[in-house]
Amino acid sequence: MSTTTDNPSAQPESTGPQNPVLETADQQVAAGIPFERFLDCVHCGLCTSACPTYLETGDENNSPRGRIYLMRAVTEGKIALTEKVSGHLDLCLDCRSCETACPSGVQYGRLIEPFRIGMQQQAVKEGKPKGWFEKYILFGMFPYPARLKLALWPMRVLQKTGLDRLVDKSGITRLLPQKLRRMQNLLPKLPPSSPPLPTFLPAIGEKRARVGLFTGCVSEAMFSPTNQATARVLQQNGCDVYIPRTQQCCGAIHYHGGESKPAVELALANIKAFEEQNLDAIIINVAGCGAMLKDYHHLAEETADLSDADREKLVNFAHQVKDISEFLHELGLLPPTGEIPLRVTYHDACHLVHAQQIRQQPRELLAQIPGLKLVPLPESDICCGAAGSYNLTQPEMADRLGERKLQNIRKVNPQAVLAGNAGCSLQLQATLKAAGYTIPVYHPVDLLDASYRGVMPAK
Amino acid sequence: MTSSIPLINALSDIVGKDHLLYDAEELLVYECDGYIVEKKCPDVVVFPISTAEIVEIVKTCNRFEVPFVPRGAGTSLAGGCLPVGGGVMIALTRMREIHEVNLRDGYAVVDPGLVNVHLTREVSGDGFHYAPDPSSQGACTIGGNVATNSGGPHTLKYGVTVNHVTGIEVVLPDGTVANWGGPAGMPPGFDLTGLFVGSEGTFGICTKATVRLTRNPAAYRTMLGIFDDIQTATRAISEIIGAGIVPAALELMDQGIIQAVEAAFKFGFPLDAGAVVLIEVDGLEVSVDDEAARIKELCHQVGVREMRTANSEAERLLLWKCRKQAFGAIGRLSPSFCTQDGVVPRTRLPEILQFIEKTSQKYDIRIVNVFHAGDGNIHPILLFDERDQAQIQRVIEAGDEILNKCIELGGSVTGEHGIGVEKINFMPKLFSENDLTVMQEIREVFNPEGNCSPCKMLPTAGACGMEQIERSHPGRQAAL
Ligand SMILES: Cc1cc2nc3c(=O)[nH]c(=O)nc-3n(C[C@H](O)[C@H](O)[C@H](O)COP(=O)(O)OP(=O)(O)OC[C@H]3O[C@@H](n4cnc5c(N)ncnc54)[C@H](O)[C@@H]3O)c2cc1C
Ligand code: SF4
Ligand code: SF4
């Protein structure tokens, strides 16, 4: 053993594992991740069967334990970030089912997300950024409701006139590039283009809270009736509702796609949009966006060049965000009275149940609707394959998981399926439609709203 | 890579090119299971979908003279899945069908890769469950349970895996398919099913299992006894069992565990208690109150500080969550930990606990305890910091000393985690040379070439380039 006296500048000999020095380009992909986070995983394997991609493939490289092992091995320089390795990491849905299953509290999302950002940055450095689809359609269009609305306009006309089925049959859509075709297949029956919500809606009855409503980009374009329903239900429950026009996309599509810079810019714009009103809470009805908004404090930690003031703002904002079901449950729902005699089943959106640990709240709210019968869905908390833009970037696995979900829905034979996330609704509707099922997919808040208004939910 | 291209091609012809791995990067994930001390990559991992494919794989391995080892979910804590000598790993994770459920006769026929809890989930709507419930039940497979004869908290009353498997289909190491037992339970002749259960993959590969389904009890009472010190708690346990009561579960957690669990789950455990015992009785509504009352009386006789009863299903589930996820909470006590698995006769529990306490002082290593008290299966958890090499050495020595003491007290070095490669060195201490010879001869009947799961369970000196399992690191970090 050498002693420090031989060489005064030498480090005293270490007694334990050293964090690896990130030398190669592959290793540097993990630059944003404190190495201790990998060590939290004790390799027990209790998470594997919670993972949808492992359930489908049986390959541990597609399991949480395996992916952590791969990322750690790349970080340690044991293996290169080969195409196959990044393939296993790309196949991850980021559904966080593994976090719910892990008793050791491993923060899987905080490993895979920064790792992917690293992969993206490396790809840019090497001059092979993502393809045209990611660049123009996914990052360029989704986050901007106005652009999305415009682009959806031809679809809306087709659906209105009933020509869409003809078009489907004619096979014209097959001439579209494959990914655009998937998008067309995913589109729900579009609501008639509606005027935007006003910027303020007053509480009905006794005033109980002052809230902001985050309307989301995809959901505002495709699900504006659900946003309207959310606003009405909040009003019914004594909330003043503020809906600032300057709000932006939550940044999830960028962040999960590995683009952290635009994600931070969008986050700061959102904080600005809501900060003047002095709100009790900021309400969101899209689980994916909600999880992202609540994650702004991690964004604050993981982004290097941020001012302290901005960092603090991100953290404070994150604490204000509430999912609609979480908020109503905490506030105490004023019981709706209109009967809705339907047999329904509830699908747990990953970004609600796993990322936000919201499981019971929506079920307990739904139980208060007179006449509604809620039947449990097998594997309700296994991802449906939507996972943000996943169904566009990993079509094969998305279809397999869609099929798995369909088989489970078949087992309970409901009259409607409920989900608290726009992405799940898109995927579920597309899957049901493709299998020739005509049952509708609702957001729980759609049913609450219908019950308050004493009507049946719109098909 | 030692494996040849022809081997890969031959295997690929059997399972299809999408169902095998041979790239070094992808094999890495298969270099260890829940036991991370020893590591070795297989040369190929194959994912068969049927018994027929497994037969072909096994024959191919024999033709190429390479060893093979089955793997389920890889939650083994004893290195059971370590591919000693490389070769082919046969992952059964794509075979997860439930072939038949017969509630009237109370059995199911399932694939080896089926996850334990998925079977219970399938039949729970009808008021049934699969009784063996290892703490890993959310992930581990029926095939892995068969191989390791798994138990769990409810083992005390309901028995271990071998009591619930009535028949199996096996691919023997030469590729022959054998069918033993069946739904009817005990056919005449040798109980080969019973012999196979617990053979840790050394007798061949289980490709189908017929298992009992157990009706859910009509009622439960779940209680928590709070004791001032661990000695009083173990006395209460002896009294309960001695009185002829068989609770469904009897689980002890000591002060260290209580503190960790309380931090994690906020159940309201008193932090100054020396130990708590989780006691569950089940059965008919009329009988459970009686039993619960008798247990409370016995606990009061030995001087329990307080008895609590779970008043709702939610409270009961929270109590169980505290127990089953206890080890997850240990992270709050210490950066690294190592869980041991030993058994002593129930009456010797106070002695072994005192010994553990002394060992803890001797090596200056903090040890906390949570265990299946009803059957004397202890899980001392040694806390340390893996950045301190000296501590690591002390943890290894302290662990070995405790296991040796278990043997001395008439117990064993594993209650449920198996021998695998981890505890192979203890076998000569547990068994006489003659005993071991008989076991080896039996293994040779099934596995004469030793190609299937080499170097597991039985010490065979010098047979496979892994003479002695060198341990530079404490054993497993997670598991109860
Ligand atoms: C957190 C944790 C808690 C645990 N708690 C318990 C507990 O309470 N009780 C308990 O008994 N165990 C427990 N274990 C240990 C482990 O989960 C069990 O041994 C389990 O039965 C292993 O199942 P597996 O599918 O993961 O098998 P694997 O780990 O994949 O394999 C285990 C062994 O079985 C062999 N094998 C696997 N499948 C087959 C097959 N089809 N045919 C032949 N051989 C096969 C393998 O070669 C290996 O030797 C725990 C483990 C962990 C990580
Ligand atoms: S992520 Fe958690 S559950 Fe999965 S292997 Fe690691 S410690 Fe175990
Ligand atoms: S996030 Fe979902 S898909 Fe990814 S490893 Fe975890 S469970 Fe699997």
Side-chain angles (χ1 to χ4, degrees), chain A residues 15 43 58 60 65 69 88, chain B residues 26 30-31 33 71 93 387:
Chain A
T15 51
H43 213 258
E60 263 203 52
R65 176 167 75 172
Y69 216 65
H88 292 302
Chain B
E26 291 178 298
Y30 286 92
E31 70 175 358
D33 47 30
R71 172 161 166 143
T93 42
R387 281 162 293 199

Side-chain angles (χ1 to χ4, degrees), chain A residues 15-17 36 39 42-49 54-55 57-61 65-66 69-70 73 78-80 82 84-85 88 101 103-104 379 411, chain B residues 21 23 25-26 28-34 36 39 47 71 73-75 93-94 96 115 118 121 136 138-139 325 327-329 386-389 477-478:
Chain A
T15 51
E36 282 70 26
L39 300 181
V42 295
H43 213 258
C44 64
L46 294 194
C47 52
T48 50
S49 276
Y54 174 77
L55 284 176
T57 62
D59 179 355
E60 263 203 52
N61 284 285
R65 176 167 75 172
Y69 216 65
L70 289 174
K78 276 192 195 157
I79 57 172
T82 63
K84 281 195 180 166
V85 173
H88 292 302
S104 301
E379 297 195 338
K411 284 185 196 157
Chain B
L21 307 174
D23 276 8
E25 292 82 14
E26 291 178 298
L28 190 73
V29 163
Y30 286 92
E31 70 175 358
C32 60
D33 47 30
I36 55 177
K39 291 176 182 162
F47 299 89
R71 172 161 166 143
T75 66
T93 42
R94 283 177 68 223
R96 37 172 79 217
V115 171
H118 290 182
R121 209 190 283 158
S136 54
Q325 305 217 333
F327 84 86
E386 70 178 311
R387 281 162 293 199
D388 182 345
Q389 196 60 44
Q477 309 211 325

Side-chain angles (χ1 to χ4, degrees), chain B residues 265-314:
Chain B
F265 303 112
K266 316 251 176 320
F267 185 81
F269 292 132
L271 294 177
D272 63 334
V276 297
V277 182
L278 176 61
I279 310 167
E280 183 162 285
V281 292
D282 64 13
L284 298 175
E285 191 66 52
V286 286
S287 65
V288 287
D289 278 329
D290 263 11
E291 257 186 6
R294 280 177 65 206
I295 288 174
K296 281 184 196 160
E297 200 185 301
L298 290 166
C299 289
H300 281 299
Q301 276 170 21
V302 299
V304 68
R305 182 200 293 180
E306 185 190 341
M307 289 296 290
R308 293 187 191 169
T309 308
N311 287 318
S312 63
E313 185 60 12

Side-chain angles (χ1 to χ4, degrees), chain A residues 290-368:
Chain A
M292 180 66 206
L293 295 173
K294 287 182 178 181
D295 240 9
Y296 275 6
H297 67 289
H298 288 151
L299 198 59
E301 277 172 41
E302 280 156 17
T303 312
D305 42 0
L306 261 187
S307 73
D308 284 349
D310 281 350
R311 229 176 271 274
E312 194 183 322
K313 276 187 193 166
L314 284 167
V315 173
N316 291 341
F317 185 85
H319 290 311
Q320 267 190 309
V321 176
K322 297 266 186 237
D323 181 73
I324 178 73
S325 61
E326 179 186 24
F327 177 76
L328 290 173
H329 193 263
E330 273 174 21
L331 186 70
L333 187 76
L334 301 179
T337 50
E339 186 145 342
I340 301 188
L342 284 180
R343 185 187 146 84
V344 300
T345 197
Y346 176 79
H347 158 73
D348 283 288
C350 302
H351 284 95
L352 264 191
V353 68
H354 302 305
Q356 303 182 54
Q357 296 292 319
I358 295 174
R359 186 184 294 264
Q360 279 315 320
Q361 295 92 323
R363 291 180 166 87
E364 284 172 23
L365 296 178
L366 288 166
Q368 297 184 47

